[in-house]
Amino acid sequence: MNDLDPAASTLTAASHYSLACALCSARQRDDGLLLECKRDHPPALLRTEYKQQNFMPRLDKRGLSRYQDWLPSPRLRDDVGRTMVYRSSGLGNALRLPNLWIAFNGYWPERHADLETATFKELEAGAVLGRLPESGVFLALASSGNTGTAFAWACSRAESPCLIVVPERGLARFRFRGPLHPSVRIVSIEGGDYSDAIRLAATVAQIPPFQAEGGIKNVARRDGLGAVLLSAYDEMRCLPTHYFQAVGSGTGAVAAHEAAKRICAGRPGLTLPRLMLCQNWPFAPIYTAWRQRVNSDEGALREAGTRVYADELTNSAPPYEVAGGVYDSLVESAGDVLIAGNDSVRRAMSMFEELEGIDIEPAAGVAVACLREAVRQRRVDGDSVVLLNVTGGGRKRLGSKYLLVQAVPQRRITRQLRRDDETFRALADSFLGGYRCR
Ligand SMILES: [Zn+2]
């Protein structure tokens, strides 16, 4: 261990992990909020280092807390669900992949999948809230839809203050099994996109006591999402050779890679899965950066974002170059980036529902479409052990079982107002007033 921070030299019983910088290896004790290394150097992610070095699921737990020893979340709730993993016969037979495993994230009671907002973002929301100090933190975050719904529902159940900024078209996903607790506030941006939401949330997060959730920089977000791979290893008893996932920011894929490295560190001889990252063409900044070595033009991406089916993947500034980020994970895992167009995605969604018996989200359809194409191109074959991350599914099933309540934003603003700092401050103040009145 390089450059040990004396404060982190002794792991106490309450601290089952410490944080280490991906670039300079400096270690820090976590306060539940840290997002960056304190040293002056190019951007780099912090990583968790756990006292428990072997994969040791808590066998008496069914939900995410089964992996408590590898989550930086001392206050993780027992009611946070997790990924269900099974070996596919329907899609596996159709694609002639006898070793196709599905990591299903969503609602599917027959398979005991119980993520109530129907995507794997619930793993990150549960882990992030479980990491926060007990009180005094008002989370501010941006979402294109699924992250926001996961946080809204998790914060509502925990009665934690939270401000969520979402583009108007993402609001349709804000439907829940009951009304949200008043601690959860939603701002929608009329005519805005995900980039607008990110900018507004970042501005509000600078106004105390609001706190940026941090996106990929938040170790709890990554380790929560990485639990997909832990569930897979738990069920499969081996690591896949290929890991397919649709990506917007790529955080989930970086997280899966980190989780695989953690498993491999405790079991020499295992090989890291190849990351096969999937994007919905023409919105594909990670594909363009990886395959063509060029950065996408922001204006072109904004226009492309209006044309893709899987709008939850429209992150125009993915953490590609940050140390420990998407590029590094692709290189370390000998991975690749694939694309699928809208028609192919729609066909893949129908195919999955027909063969496996459950509806899936457009993002998951992107992964299925790219997997199908990878089989056709013989990038994977009958000898491959493939893990397909179905990042969201069962929303239709959830809607048929429960009368879902549509959440209404407390404030709607127009895109023209988004660069007006005074408007943001007034907005933040009005929310703080609301919290004080509770
Ligand atoms: Zn550092």
Side-chain angles (χ1 to χ4, degrees), residues 20-28 36-42 44-46:
C21 173
L23 195 63
C24 75
S25 301
R27 295 177 74 197
Q28 302 182 68
E36 286 170 341
C37 180
K38 288 177 176 163
R39 295 200 167 158
D40 184 22
H41 57 55
L45 298 181
L46 293 177

Side-chain angles (χ1 to χ4, degrees), residues 50-297:
Y50 293 100
K51 201 172 175 182
Q52 174 58 264
Q53 293 185 3
N54 295 311
F55 178 62
M56 296 280 280
R58 298 195 178 185
L59 301 177
D60 57 328
K61 306 276 190 183
R62 282 204 63 245
L64 189 61
S65 54
R66 188 174 173 88
Y67 310 120
Q68 179 100 49
D69 289 345
W70 280 3
L71 290 167
S73 312
R75 279 169 298 284
L76 179 65
R77 291 165 60 108
D78 266 343
D79 60 0
V80 180
R82 71 179 173 101
T83 313
M84 286 297 127
V85 178
Y86 69 95
R87 193 179 201 141
S88 165
S89 52
L91 186 64
N93 283 342
L95 297 179
R96 298 187 180 170
L97 293 175
N99 297 306
L100 173 62
W101 294 77
I102 310 270
F104 184 84
N105 295 281
Y107 181 74
W108 193 358
E110 293 85 343
R111 289 203 181 267
H112 309 289
D114 55 359
L115 298 179
E116 294 181 4
T117 59
T119 77
F120 78 150
K121 303 293 187 176
E122 246 172 87
L123 309 177
E124 72 180 40
V128 166
L129 292 190
R131 178 184 173 226
L132 289 178
E134 205 156 356
S135 60
V137 177
F138 291 38
L139 268 190
L141 62 108
S143 170
S144 57
N146 291 333
T147 297
T149 55
F151 272 92
W153 193 234
C155 288
S156 179
R157 288 200 294 190
E159 301 184 7
S160 297
C162 178
L163 178 66
I164 299 167
V165 188
V166 61
E168 189 91 12
R169 73 171 177 165
L171 270 181
R173 295 194 179 90
F174 282 68
R175 299 172 74 235
F176 304 98
R177 284 170 58 174
L180 293 175
H181 187 271
S183 63
V184 178
R185 309 296 173 96
I186 299 167
V187 176
S188 67
I189 307 179
E190 192 186 326
D193 60 18
Y194 189 23
S195 302
D196 298 318
I198 289 171
R199 288 189 188 118
L200 174 52
T203 308
V204 173
Q206 289 168 11
I207 304 168
F210 283 104
Q211 163 81 25
E213 183 272 330
I216 195 169
K217 293 181 188 172
N218 192 322
V219 288
R221 177 185 273 228
R222 301 209 308 284
D223 287 2
L225 293 175
V228 171
L229 204 89
L230 303 185
S231 286
Y233 186 64
D234 208 354
E235 189 65 32
M236 296 163 68
R237 306 282 166 180
C238 68
L239 285 174
T241 56
H242 297 75
Y243 171 81
F244 280 76
Q245 191 204 306
V247 290
S249 70
T251 302
V254 170
H257 178 65
E258 289 176 328
K261 285 208 299 190
R262 192 160 281 145
I263 290 169
C264 288
R267 292 286 304 274
L270 293 179
T271 305
L272 289 170
R274 296 182 68 179
L275 293 184
M276 305 296 274
L277 310 189
C278 312
Q279 296 212 289
N280 190 180
W281 186 258
F283 193 101
I286 293 177
Y287 174 85
T288 310
W290 176 252
R291 290 285 188 99
Q292 296 160 6
R293 310 263 183 248
V294 292
N295 292 327
S296 301
D297 171 70

